[in-house]
């Protein structure tokens, strides 16, 4: 089944404790992206990746890192989480070529930073 | 600055009513406009629009794009309680190095 998976789905942590949210897709998509969703602010892009070893900042990259060592994986790293990073996070992927612009979203990760 | 604006932000109607959701955009080098439905989980894809004046239809949902006036509408006829969701509009630029821009969404609630 074609899908985007994220882990964990729920995470409660404390300020300053490094964490990683994994994202994996099985559709051989080149483009992957991380979003955060907050009430009243909608979906905002954190980082995106056009292909392996190619990443770029989105709208709200501060406090986050990403890596794209393999095509299927795009982990989101919070080196020193802070309470303002409490949010719902979505990973998404899509084809780059062929005009298929539908983004496939993961199930979401709800992060609470105390 | 590129932006996507959706209206209304919130809408409550009775089952059976028809609703129209609006999405206007200001984006350099437009490629496509996408509509998503989001319930309690990740957004699910509804439509992709690239050409003006061509209506896309799926059941009770339809959407059309006006590239001259820079907006799109999403229509839902004979609404049902299962249509209650947040509807997201997003615009993809022509340059794939540029990011996709999402609107803040319209929260639709259908009363039984």
């Amino acid at each position: 089944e074609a899908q985007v998976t994220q882990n964990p789905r729920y995470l409660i942590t404390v300020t300053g404790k490094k964490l990683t949210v994994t994202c994996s897709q099985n559709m051989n998509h080149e483009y992957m992206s991380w979003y955060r969703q907050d009430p009243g602010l909608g979906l905002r892009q954190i980082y995106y990746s056009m292909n392996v070893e190619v990443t770029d900042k989105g709208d709200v990259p501060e406090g986050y890192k990403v890596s794209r060592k393999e095509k299927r994986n795009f982990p989101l790293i919070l080196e020193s989480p802070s309470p303002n990073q409490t949010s719902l996070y979505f990973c998404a992927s899509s084809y780059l070529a062929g005009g298929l612009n539908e983004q496939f979203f993961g199930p979401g990760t709800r992060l609470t930073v105390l | 600055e590129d932006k996507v604006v959706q209206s209304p932000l919130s809408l409550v109607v009775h089952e059976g009513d028809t609703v129209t959701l609006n999405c206007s955009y200001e984006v350099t080098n437009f490629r496509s406009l996408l509509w998503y439905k989001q319930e309690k989980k990740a957004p699910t894809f509804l439509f992709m629009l690239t050409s003006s004046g061509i209506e896309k239809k799926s059941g009770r949902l339809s959407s059309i794009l006006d590239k001259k006036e820079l907006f799109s509408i999403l229509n839902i006829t004979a609404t049902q309680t299962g249509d209650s969701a947040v509807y997201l509009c997003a615009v993809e630029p022509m340059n794939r190095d540029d990011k996709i821009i999402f609107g803040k969404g319209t929260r639709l609630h259908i009363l039984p």
Side-chain angles (χ1 to χ4, degrees), chain A residues 37 45 48 50 59 96 106, chain B residues 38 42 48 92 96-97 99:
Chain A
Q37 187 172 36
Q45 193 171 41
Y48 62 98
M50 306 291 284
D59 295 313
L96 272 185
Chain B
Q38 184 177 24
M48 183 185 77
E92 184 181 41
R96 289 199 181 275
D97 290 337
K99 47 189 179 286

Side-chain angles (χ1 to χ4, degrees), chain A residues 3-73:
Chain A
Q3 60 181 348
V4 178
T5 56
Q6 292 178 231
N7 280 294
R9 296 288 313 281
Y10 301 91
L11 178 60
I12 300 174
T13 190
V14 295
T15 298
K17 186 175 182 182
K18 180 179 178 180
L19 66 93
T20 299
V21 184
T22 64
C23 173
S24 182
Q25 49 93 5
N26 62 0
M27 295 167 280
N28 203 35
H29 286 168
E30 291 179 349
Y31 181 94
M32 297 186 75
S33 181
W34 275 103
Y35 297 90
R36 62 178 288 174
Q37 187 172 36
D38 303 288
L41 297 174
L43 273 170
R44 294 180 294 168
Q45 193 171 41
I46 303 170
Y47 268 94
Y48 62 98
S49 169
M50 306 291 284
N51 211 326
V52 175
E53 301 292 1
V54 181
T55 63
D56 210 345
K57 296 178 180 178
D59 295 313
V60 288
E62 294 78 20
Y64 304 95
K65 287 171 61 176
V66 292
S67 70
R68 188 90 182 274
K69 293 186 170 60
E70 311 163 273
K71 202 171 189 178
R72 63 182 294 125
N73 296 322

